[in-house]
Amino acid sequence: MFTIFFTSTNINAIASGWGFKKNGNHVVPEIGKYANILEGTNSYYVGPNEKSVYLTFDAGYDNGILDKILDTLKEKDVKATFFITGDFVKRFPKLVIRISQEGHLACNHSYSHKKITNLTKDELNNDLKKLENEYFKLTGQEMIHYFRPPEGEFDRTSLLNLKELGYKTIFWSIAYKDWIVDKQSGRDYCVKTIMDNLHNGAIILMHSVSSSNQEALSTVIDKITNEGYTFKTVDSL
C-alpha cells in the first residue's frame, strides 16, 4: 500500500493517475484534464458544496498505529471510511472487526492491490468480489460498493468498468505524503496541510500507518469541527 506524489509547479499528481492543483483559498482544488476522464463514471473526489468533510483512510497493512487512530475516532465520536485490502483482512482480522463494530465504513481497495489499469473487467470483478467475500466471512456484513484505486492509478476504461460493475470510485481532494513510515513529516505539518486546504465537501486521504496522522488526528478533528464542519462517510455521496 503506497501512493506516489509527483510535483511540478503547483500540480500534485498521485501515481500516474489522480492529481489536483492545491490552493490555500479553501475552495475545491482544480483537477484539469481529469474532469473529462471522470465525467459519467460515478467517480468522486469531493462531496457537495456544504460544510461537510469525509475522513478516509487507506489501510493495506498495520504497524501498530491503527488501534490508536480508532481510539481517537471513538473518543471524538467521528465515523471514518477505511479502504482495505485482502492482505489486511487476512493479517489483521481484529482490526477489521473493530472497524466494523465501531460503526466505520469498510470499503474496497481491492484484494490484491494490483493496478486496475492492468486488469480486464472480469479480472477486476473477481478481485473485488474476493475481498468482499473474505470481509463477509469475517464480519457477517456486506461490503458497500465504494472503491479506491490502488496507488491512485486509473484510466477512463477502468472507471467505466467499475461503474458497470456497480461501484462508485472515491478519490480525494486533500492529501500529503504520509505513507513512508520512516520519513514522517510530523504532527504540525499534518495539521497545517489539512487545515490550510480545507474546503466544503473535502475528501481527506490519510494512511493508517502514519504516526504523524495518529498524533495529529485529535487536533485535526477539533479544528475541523470548530470551523463548523460535520464529518460524513462516503456512502452519503
Side-chain angles (χ1 to χ4, degrees):
M1 175 213 59
F2 60 97
T3 311
I4 302 172
F5 286 77
F6 297 95
T7 304
S8 175
T9 315
N10 238 349
I11 296 290
N12 297 288
I14 301 180
S16 59
W18 182 241
F20 54 86
K21 185 176 182 180
K22 281 186 176 182
N23 66 76
N25 302 320
H26 302 290
V27 296
V28 175
E30 298 176 13
I31 60 171
K33 65 179 182 181
Y34 300 109
N36 290 332
I37 298 174
L38 266 59
E39 185 178 1
T41 65
N42 276 358
S43 298
Y44 298 80
Y45 72 99
V46 66
N49 184 21
E50 60 185 29
K51 298 212 76 170
S52 299
V53 299
Y54 305 80
L55 187 59
T56 73
F57 292 88
D58 284 4
Y61 71 99
D62 183 59
N63 58 346
I65 299 292
L66 183 49
D67 257 330
K68 298 174 184 177
I69 287 173
L70 290 169
D71 288 343
T72 299
L73 293 172
K74 186 175 183 179
E75 176 190 347
K76 298 295 183 180
D77 194 25
V78 168
K79 306 306 180 190
T81 302
F82 290 84
F83 290 90
I84 62 177
T85 64
D87 185 64
F88 186 82
V89 173
K90 287 293 190 181
R91 292 174 59 199
F92 308 103
K94 291 182 179 179
L95 287 172
V96 176
I97 291 170
R98 186 176 176 191
I99 287 169
S100 172
Q101 290 182 341
E102 294 185 0
H104 303 293
L105 197 66
C107 296
N108 207 314
H109 198 36
S110 81
Y111 185 89
S112 64
H113 205 263
K114 292 180 179 177
K115 295 178 181 180
I116 60 173
T117 53
N118 295 336
L119 302 177
T120 66
K121 185 163 73 170
D122 285 343
E123 289 170 337
L124 177 60
N125 184 53
N126 290 338
D127 192 272
L128 299 176
K129 297 305 181 189
K130 187 175 181 179
L131 174 60
E132 290 164 10
N133 290 337
E134 293 297 331
Y135 180 78
F136 181 79
K137 285 192 291 185
L138 179 63
T139 67
Q141 295 185 2
E142 300 284 348
M143 179 176 278
I144 193 167
H145 285 183
Y146 285 70
F147 174 78
R148 175 165 285 163
E151 301 183 36
E153 187 159 314
F154 67 99
D155 56 20
R156 183 164 175 82
T157 296
S158 59
L159 295 181
L160 288 172
N161 284 341
L162 286 160
K163 179 182 178 180
E164 291 171 10
L165 292 170
Y167 291 83
K168 291 182 172 65
T169 302
I170 309 299
F171 294 101
W172 55 91
S173 60
I174 297 178
Y176 77 103
K177 189 174 181 179
D178 64 346
W179 62 92
I180 303 176
V181 296
D182 58 351
K183 292 184 179 180
Q184 290 290 291
S185 299
R187 171 190 175 279
D188 291 345
Y189 182 86
C190 174
V191 173
K192 179 174 172 54
T193 299
I194 291 173
M195 297 310 299
D196 283 354
N197 293 280
L198 191 65
H199 58 83
N200 284 3
I203 299 177
I204 303 170
L205 165 62
M206 305 178 88
H207 285 85
S208 64
V209 295
S210 166
S211 60
S212 298
N213 291 340
Q214 181 263 313
E215 293 161 1
L217 184 59
S218 180
T219 301
V220 166
I221 290 173
D222 287 345
K223 285 181 173 291
I224 289 175
T225 302
N226 289 340
E227 290 289 331
Y229 290 86
T230 58
F231 289 91
K232 293 185 176 182
T233 50
V234 301
D235 55 334
S236 63
L237 289 170

